[in-house]
């Protein structure tokens, strides 16, 4: 039975990103062995990544943290839209993380091939059996204005995927493929943290958290045997009734 979501409302964006950074650090420090984290893309987490590379740099156990991506745009790693490029500029390029600790989605190639390759890298890293799913220690997600997370967009084919770990997903509204982890991977995680900031997210956050008839992709993230934490700032939470 999935646990109830934990909702943490932080006063300001800065407090939100400090709380998120501390979650990663506290979980990584106590983990024996490798700590696996999947990063989200978009604009919100950039401040988190900068904070980890800056003020929190000396608290992160960089040698044991292994970085993955929940999704990627179908672009090369140096493209302005690349989630890898954003994380590299904000964090990786500024900290003593080893290249072998970073698992980039090779989205410069054919989207389906990129998905197959990434899926294989997960199977290898987590030593999975053929029908197994990886258990990430931590997955960060953002909430899109339409209620999507990762690149699991409303109405897109990947919403129904329950066998594959990573798929190419055609996103009609952008007329492009994305590469994304699937719900089974997200829901096998030990901890999923949604980071949501800003008044422009308030209406959708109310829908996701308080309208169980909404049928939104974010609502399908319910770790089967793990924690689900919504970390939101006051502006994003302004539409919540409780
Ligand atoms: C991406 C992200 C996506 C993002 C949401 C929120 O590749 O864009 O993975 O799921 O988290 O769209 O984006 P913002 O943080 O920019 O609002």
């Amino acid at each position: 039975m999935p646990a109830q979501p934990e909702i943490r409302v932080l006063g300001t964006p800065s407090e939100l990103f400090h709380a998120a950074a501390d979650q990663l650090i506290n979980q990584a420090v106590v983990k024996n062995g490798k700590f696996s984290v999947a990063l989200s893309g978009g604009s919100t987490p950039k401040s988190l990544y900068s904070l980890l590379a800056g003020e929190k740099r000396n608290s992160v156990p960089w040698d044991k943290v292994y970085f993955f991506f929940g999704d990627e745009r179908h672009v090369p790693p140096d493209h302005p839209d690349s989630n890898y490029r954003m994380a590299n500029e904000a964090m990786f390029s500024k900290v003593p993380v080893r290249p072998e600790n970073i698992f980039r989605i090779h989205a410069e190639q054919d989207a389906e091939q990129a998905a197959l390759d990434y899926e294989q890298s997960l199977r290898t890293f987590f030593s999975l059996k053929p029908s197994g799913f990886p258990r990430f220690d931590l997955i960060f997600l953002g909430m899109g204005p339409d209620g999507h997370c990762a690149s699991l967009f409303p109405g897109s084919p990947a919403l129904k995927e329950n066998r594959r770990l990573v798929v190419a997903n055609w996103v009609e509204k952008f007329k492009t493929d994305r590469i994304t982890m699937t719900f089974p991977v997200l829901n096998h995680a030990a901890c999923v943290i949604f980071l949501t900031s800003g008044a422009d997210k308030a209406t959708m956050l109310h829908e996701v958290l308080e309208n169980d008839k909404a049928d939104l992709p974010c609502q399908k993230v319910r770790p089967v045997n793990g924690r689900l934490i919504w970390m939101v700032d006051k502006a994003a939470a302004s539409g919540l009734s409780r």
Side-chain angles (χ1 to χ4, degrees):
M1 180 68 186
Q4 281 303 314
E6 303 165 48
I7 301 171
R8 289 188 58 191
V9 181
L10 290 303
T12 66
S14 173
E15 288 167 333
L16 169 65
F17 297 121
H18 275 77
D22 291 344
Q23 271 291 334
L24 184 153
I25 291 163
N26 295 341
Q27 291 184 26
V29 165
V30 300
K31 173 80 190 286
N32 287 327
K34 296 179 179 179
F35 183 83
S36 55
V37 56
L39 302 179
S40 64
S43 56
T44 303
K46 188 172 181 178
S47 303
L48 167 62
Y49 306 155
S50 299
L51 181 61
L52 290 168
E55 186 184 325
K56 302 283 185 178
R57 175 196 171 95
N58 295 333
S59 305
V60 181
W62 297 105
D63 58 325
K64 67 193 274 197
V65 182
Y66 288 75
F67 294 93
F68 296 81
F69 288 84
D71 73 321
E72 185 57 277
R73 287 79 181 280
H74 190 203
V75 295
D78 58 355
H79 189 283
D81 290 349
S82 165
N83 289 335
Y84 168 80
R85 172 173 156 172
M86 182 271 283
N88 187 47
E89 288 178 348
M91 179 167 65
F92 298 145
S93 60
K94 301 187 167 88
V95 297
V97 62
R98 294 187 303 249
E100 57 265 32
N101 284 45
I102 301 169
F103 290 78
R104 174 176 76 83
I105 298 173
H106 289 254
E108 62 274 21
Q109 60 183 322
D110 165 75
E112 180 54 21
Q113 190 56 53
L116 289 167
D117 291 353
Y118 207 61
E119 174 156 333
Q120 187 50 55
S121 66
L122 296 184
R123 291 196 176 286
T124 303
F125 181 85
F126 288 95
S127 308
L128 298 181
K129 295 188 179 65
S131 57
F133 290 98
R135 183 171 171 77
F136 277 91
D137 292 300
L138 177 58
I139 296 179
F140 281 112
L141 292 174
M143 181 194 75
D146 56 2
H148 80 263
C149 55
S151 283
L152 297 163
F153 285 81
S156 66
L159 297 186
K160 301 186 183 67
E161 181 57 54
N162 57 26
R163 283 183 316 102
R164 294 277 303 276
L165 310 184
V166 184
V167 295
N169 192 31
W170 178 256
V171 184
E172 184 58 27
K173 74 178 187 179
F174 297 142
K175 297 278 189 271
T176 183
D177 276 311
R178 291 277 192 96
I179 296 97
T180 186
M181 287 183 184
T182 58
F183 283 124
V185 173
L186 305 182
N187 288 328
H188 269 73
C191 183
V192 174
I193 295 179
F194 274 94
L195 280 184
T196 305
S197 172
D200 62 324
K201 295 286 178 72
T203 302
M204 182 48 71
L205 190 63
H206 162 71
E207 283 299 299
V208 168
L209 294 182
E210 299 183 330
N211 178 4
D212 55 10
K213 295 184 178 51
D215 190 28
L216 295 160
C218 283
Q219 294 174 316
K220 297 180 184 348
V221 178
R222 296 299 302 271
V224 177
N225 181 18
R227 294 176 68 189
L228 173 59
I229 307 174
W230 280 85
M231 301 184 91
V232 303
D233 63 19
K234 214 167 175 182
S238 58
L240 299 181
S241 59
R242 54 185 184 280

